[in-house]
Amino acid sequence: MYDEGVIFIQHDQPVQNHFLGIAHCLTCATLAAHFENPLILQMFLKTLALIKRLLLSVAVLLPISAMAKQTIVHIKADNGNYLSLNPTLDYFVKAYKPEVRDWEVFTLEHLDNETVTIKGYNGMYLSINAEYNSLQGTENNDNPQTFRLIEKEAGKYLLGTKDGRYFAVESDQFVYISRGNEDDAGIFTLEPTLPYKLKSSLSVRQNAVLFTGIALLLLSLLAFMNKKRYAVWLLLLGALTLRLFMAAVAEYLHLWDEQFHALVAKNMMQQPFRPMLYANPVLPYPELSWIEGHIWLHKQPLFLWQMALSMKAFGVGVMALRLPSVLMSTAVVVMIYFLGKRLVDKQTGFFAAFFFAFGNYGLQLMNGYLSTDHNDVAFMFYVTASLLSWVIYISKGKPLSWALLTGALAGGAIMVKWLPGMLVYAGWGVALILDNNRRSIGHYAHLVAALLVTCIVVLPWQIYTFTAFPELAKHEMFYNTAHIRSAVEQHQGNWLYHFSMSQKHIGIPFLLLLLGWYLFVKKINDRRLKIAVVTWGVVVYLVFTLSQTKMPSFTYMIIALHMLAFAQLAIHLFNIVIINPKLPKATLIQTLFIVGISGYIGWKSLNYKAIQTRHTIWRKNADDMYKHRMLTVDLFRELAQTTTDKDVFFHSKTFDNVPLMFFTDAAAAYDRMLSEEDIIHLLQKGYQPKVFDDGELPEYIYKHNVDIIQRYWFPL
């Protein structure tokens, strides 16, 4: 959590007891149901109980007076909130946080029984600001101020100075020096952490959700290895838990491209067939720009409609915005299982789905961190669904209903990311051409019917946009085809670019993945399915390798097939190393080895360090754009309470104007300084200009009725 890289678990908070208790009960129940060896089960339970008892007792048994020279604590004031060293308030200490995060962690350095220095999460020592008589973090690390820590009762302390004054929390929640009377002093509760450390910057609650998801996934694999019917349900629940964690871990909008998708989706809540970035462009704008314009046709609209519908149902916010991606990404886990079951067997499908559930790349797409974010999640969903639908169509003896559903899902994929969504037809067509049993032109009737359904899904929107917004629609169509001819927006790379991306998508080199593909395709018995699977892989890599524009997620559309190949690779490894017929049989040990190794692969794929580095202020530089967004999202939400559709904001950081328009009802927001002409124009039109003060505002700002906002450009 924090610059020292530790996770803090309070011994008196119920989340610890509940989480460990639930994990304990789930593990015991599962083992009891699965394994019949009473001796092994009894030994395991005793070990687990001993570990749990040690973890829960250590913090309780360590009073402050017996602690080491340094103690990491949370400090709870008598108003029920935790002291917070807030960078948005010039590092003044304020007791206003009901739960602990990065800013609510302090290190007590004990000089003697009652004398301490207090250091914040960022290395700043606390001292008294003489002007305000309040606590503040300072850079004076050579000679930090000392304080008295006087124990009143178990775990509760007075905090004061050597001259007999005491601290108290006033009505504004800041911590001030009180008079020299203990009756006026505040009571502070020190909550020590457990004496073990994990490198983490996530809160206890966040870690509880994350590790619950991991536990459910491991239990699902354990259940599957023991042929339990509920294994897939545990897999689904674990995948959903992980995705809910990832959706909630970042409470702000990401820079590329989530914030633009979010604002357009918000505006589509009211006008779903008029996609807009600036819904009310009060100043002149470039009509063809997708980052500054009015009408927005930069992407096909289906995923935006889904996001708009979610926010219509649950309110405007990042969680509602990401909910469709959470559900679609979770659904892909199940689809991979059934795809593997149809193509090869249950084992291949389950292991593929298990590994995909952990995949960091997919999780980062789903929570908006990676570029093209929710667009690529929706695209992956519809492409995977169309492939699964066609595989079922072949497996069930070609019923027309499944052919039509395949066409509809392919149409959905196109309505997310244009013509690559037709991938299913490449495998379908080649399989038909090479099918030894084809007899007549009627053999192609279902393919034609599916194509007609796809056209019915796709064409109305294209006709509408070319009619309603002809110039912009033509521009975007040209822009899409330009990806083939040139490196659009300098997204370029050599012919090995997409092959090297397998390391990021899956975590293994492409040559090793290719071996997995060989093992995977070899296991497919139906010749038509084998031809289609190979065609899908070849077409994707051929098309995107020949295209001049290279982007990281282009080939992620077939991640389901990659995961099936990876699963076959893992299964062959297990068969060689663990389930070796030459070794003595020990079913329990083999199962635990497989679950352990699979769990380790999943953990490495999850990349815990990357999650905390990208989504918290841990180890971020002062000028980091995402750190700035983490610190200002609360300000934007606060501004939303007073902002009207007549307010126009200026002078934000680059592209910070977009999330500002998302979180508020402002008419518009701009990341540039407003001119005097802008002020006059807006005031004449009845708008209220507002500007963020960085301390260097031009003189003409003060000559007009412009609202100046202080709390934005602050030292980080």
Side-chain angles (χ1 to χ4, degrees):
M1 197 164 185
Y2 328 102
D3 66 339
E4 297 200 15
V6 294
I7 170 176
F8 299 90
I9 304 177
Q10 296 86 16
H11 65 271
D12 63 335
Q13 287 196 2
V15 65
Q16 182 196 43
N17 293 330
H18 290 174
F19 179 55
L20 287 177
I22 291 170
H24 178 83
C25 293
L26 283 173
T27 307
C28 294
T30 305
L31 287 169
H34 293 169
F35 305 123
E36 298 178 356
N37 189 320
L39 180 60
I40 294 177
L41 180 59
Q42 186 178 17
M43 290 174 60
F44 181 88
L45 294 181
K46 285 184 177 180
T47 304
L48 184 64
L50 177 61
I51 293 172
K52 178 185 173 184
R53 192 178 300 115
L54 286 172
L55 291 178
L56 292 175
S57 63
V58 169
V60 178
L61 296 176
L62 283 177
I64 294 294
S65 58
M67 286 186 179
K69 189 173 182 179
Q70 286 193 348
T71 307
I72 302 173
V73 296
H74 308 304
I75 305 175
K76 181 183 284 188
D78 45 19
N79 66 353
N81 294 327
Y82 290 93
L83 301 194
S84 178
L85 187 61
N86 193 331
T88 68
L89 302 174
D90 286 335
Y91 295 106
F92 280 97
V93 177
K94 189 174 183 179
Y96 74 114
K97 292 288 188 177
E99 61 182 32
V100 292
R101 294 288 298 274
D102 299 46
W103 304 340
E104 291 73 56
V105 180
F106 298 90
T107 300
L108 305 181
E109 297 179 344
H110 300 268
L111 304 181
D112 56 45
N113 287 338
E114 287 191 352
T115 306
V116 297
T117 60
I118 306 175
K119 184 167 61 175
Y121 71 96
N122 55 0
M124 285 185 171
Y125 282 91
L126 300 192
S127 64
I128 299 173
N129 183 298
E131 181 179 356
Y132 297 103
N133 279 329
S134 58
L135 271 182
Q136 184 182 27
T138 66
E139 299 286 356
N140 183 18
N141 294 346
D142 295 331
N143 187 27
Q145 185 165 354
T146 59
F147 301 95
R148 294 177 64 209
L149 195 64
I150 305 168
E151 186 170 15
K152 296 293 291 182
E153 55 183 281
K156 298 184 182 298
Y157 294 80
L158 300 180
L159 182 62
T161 61
K162 287 189 173 182
D163 58 5
R165 295 181 296 165
Y166 297 96
F167 290 96
V169 177
E170 302 294 346
S171 58
D172 61 1
Q173 298 182 315
F174 286 97
V175 182
Y176 294 96
I177 286 288
S178 70
R179 298 173 183 175
N181 187 339
E182 289 192 12
D183 295 336
D184 297 330
I187 302 294
F188 298 93
T189 303
L190 303 186
E191 298 179 351
T193 69
L194 288 173
Y196 64 93
K197 298 181 179 181
L198 293 174
K199 290 185 176 180
S200 172
S201 56
L202 303 171
S203 70
V204 174
R205 182 177 298 176
Q206 289 171 324
N207 276 291
V209 176
L210 171 62
F211 285 99
T212 297
I214 293 172
L216 287 169
L217 289 174
L218 292 176
L219 288 173
S220 75
L221 184 56
L222 197 60
F224 178 79
M225 295 291 294
N226 287 273
K227 300 179 181 179
K228 302 298 180 181
R229 292 183 178 180
Y230 53 81
V232 177
W233 289 105
L234 283 174
L235 176 68
L236 179 65
L237 186 57
L240 177 61
T241 304
L242 272 188
R243 279 146 181 79
L244 288 172
F245 158 78
M246 284 300 297
V249 73
E251 299 175 358
Y252 52 91
L253 292 177
H254 294 96
L255 181 60
W256 298 105
D257 300 309
E258 184 184 46
Q259 62 178 10
F260 296 101
H261 298 158
L263 183 56
V264 175
K266 176 189 174 184
N267 292 330
M268 291 177 94
M269 291 168 61
Q270 306 302 326
Q271 300 187 64
F273 302 115
R274 189 176 177 83
M276 296 174 289
L277 185 65
Y278 277 82
N280 185 12
V282 296
L283 295 175
Y285 61 91
E287 294 183 2
L288 301 181
S289 172
W290 67 274
I291 59 175
E292 298 177 289
H294 173 42
I295 301 299
W296 201 85
L297 300 179
H298 191 60
K299 298 281 196 322
Q300 293 289 309
L302 181 53
F303 79 106
L304 297 169
W305 284 334
Q306 293 172 168
M307 292 157 66
L309 183 62
S310 177
M311 289 191 288
K312 192 79 171 177
F314 301 106
V316 176
V318 292
M319 197 65 189
L321 170 79
R322 294 167 184 161
L323 184 59
S325 291
V326 168
L327 298 178
M328 286 187 290
S329 181
T330 304
V332 170
V333 173
V334 180
M335 287 193 285
I336 289 175
Y337 167 72
F338 285 108
L339 190 61
K341 180 181 176 182
R342 292 278 179 177
L343 290 172
V344 183
D345 54 35
K346 288 183 180 180
Q347 188 181 43
T348 301
F350 195 91
F351 274 97
F354 175 85
F355 291 131
F356 173 78
F358 277 101
N360 179 271
Y361 194 90
L363 293 173
Q364 301 286 4
L365 271 179
M366 185 221 65
N367 89 331
Y369 179 81
L370 297 178
S371 60
T372 64
D373 49 82
H374 310 294
N375 178 258
D376 268 317
V377 173
F379 189 56
M380 168 190 67
F381 170 81
Y382 285 104
V383 169
T384 305
S386 67
L387 302 187
L388 175 60
S389 178
W390 184 79
V391 168
I392 295 174
Y393 162 76
I394 294 296
S395 303
K396 285 183 171 289
K398 302 182 179 179
L400 178 60
S401 58
W402 283 99
L404 299 179
L405 178 60
T406 302
L409 291 168
I414 296 170
M415 286 292 287
V416 172
K417 204 162 185 176
W418 201 224
L419 296 182
M422 297 185 69
L423 177 67
V424 66
Y425 289 114
W428 193 344
V430 174
L432 273 177
I433 293 171
L434 300 181
D435 187 357
N436 295 328
N437 297 321
R438 69 185 189 280
R439 296 182 178 85
S440 65
I441 196 67
H443 198 64
Y444 297 86
H446 285 187
L447 174 61
V448 174
L451 279 168
L452 286 174
V453 172
T454 300
C455 291
I456 291 171
V457 172
V458 172
L459 288 180
W461 178 256
Q462 318 312 318
I463 295 171
Y464 165 71
T465 54
F466 271 89
T467 302
F469 321 107
E471 185 178 354
L472 183 58
K474 290 177 184 177
H475 169 77
E476 290 295 347
M477 185 64 69
F478 177 81
Y479 182 90
N480 285 334
T481 57
H483 285 71
I484 301 173
R485 304 186 304 270
S486 59
V488 172
E489 297 176 356
Q490 300 182 342
H491 293 297
Q492 55 192 355
N494 59 30
W495 69 275
L496 290 173
Y497 177 88
H498 290 299
F499 299 101
S500 65
M501 285 307 299
S502 68
Q503 191 76 46
K504 289 187 176 181
H505 291 174
I506 307 162
I508 60 173
F510 185 78
L511 288 178
L512 195 56
L513 180 62
L514 202 59
L515 174 61
W517 265 81
Y518 168 76
L519 297 172
F520 165 46
V521 172
K522 186 179 177 182
K523 292 277 287 186
I524 302 174
N525 294 322
D526 191 303
R527 184 172 180 271
R528 297 162 300 177
L529 297 178
K530 185 175 297 198
I531 291 171
V533 167
V534 172
T535 302
W536 291 330
V538 170
V539 166
V540 166
Y541 277 89
L542 181 63
V543 169
F544 289 122
T545 298
L546 293 177
S547 297
Q548 295 302 304
T549 300
K550 304 287 194 296
M551 291 193 70
S553 301
F554 277 174
T555 58
Y556 200 75
M557 61 187 292
I558 57 168
I559 187 63
L561 301 180
H562 282 332
M563 295 315 301
L564 292 170
F566 181 74
Q568 269 298 304
L569 200 63
I571 290 168
H572 274 72
L573 175 66
F574 295 151
N575 288 337
I576 293 171
V577 177
I578 299 174
I579 311 176
N580 192 324
K582 295 181 180 179
L583 297 176
K585 289 189 176 181
T587 305
L588 173 60
I589 295 175
Q590 289 177 346
T591 299
L592 292 178
F593 262 109
I594 292 174
V595 172
I597 293 173
S598 299
Y600 176 76
I601 294 172
W603 173 256
K604 296 296 288 184
S605 178
L606 180 66
N607 200 341
Y608 186 81
K609 182 179 180 180
I611 292 173
Q612 61 175 343
T613 302
R614 292 168 180 172
H615 301 297
T616 70
I617 64 173
W618 185 58
R619 295 188 178 180
K620 282 186 168 56
N621 297 324
D623 59 350
D624 185 274
M625 181 65 180
Y626 282 117
K627 182 174 183 177
H628 173 79
R629 292 207 162 184
M630 294 173 198
L631 301 179
T632 55
V633 65
D634 287 338
L635 172 61
F636 287 173
R637 291 193 176 106
E638 184 179 319
L639 288 172
Q641 305 302 316
T642 57
T643 300
T644 71
D645 58 3
K646 291 297 183 181
D647 294 328
V648 182
F649 289 87
F650 288 90
H651 197 35
S652 72
K653 286 196 173 186
T654 304
F655 292 130
D656 235 11
N657 56 313
V658 179
L660 181 56
M661 287 188 284
F662 176 81
F663 286 112
T664 72
D665 292 327
Y670 299 91
D671 56 2
R672 62 172 177 82
M673 179 60 71
L674 75 171
S675 66
E676 193 162 15
E677 291 76 14
D678 292 332
I679 298 173
I680 296 171
H681 172 78
L682 291 171
L683 290 175
Q684 288 176 346
K685 295 290 185 181
Y687 293 101
Q688 178 58 53
K690 295 175 179 284
V691 63
F692 292 114
D693 185 7
D694 63 349
E696 300 179 1
L697 296 179
E699 288 297 326
Y700 61 79
I701 296 290
Y702 301 96
K703 298 178 182 179
H704 300 277
N705 180 24
V706 177
D707 291 343
I708 299 174
I709 302 172
Q710 304 290 343
R711 291 175 51 212
Y712 177 80
W713 293 92
F714 49 81
L716 295 178

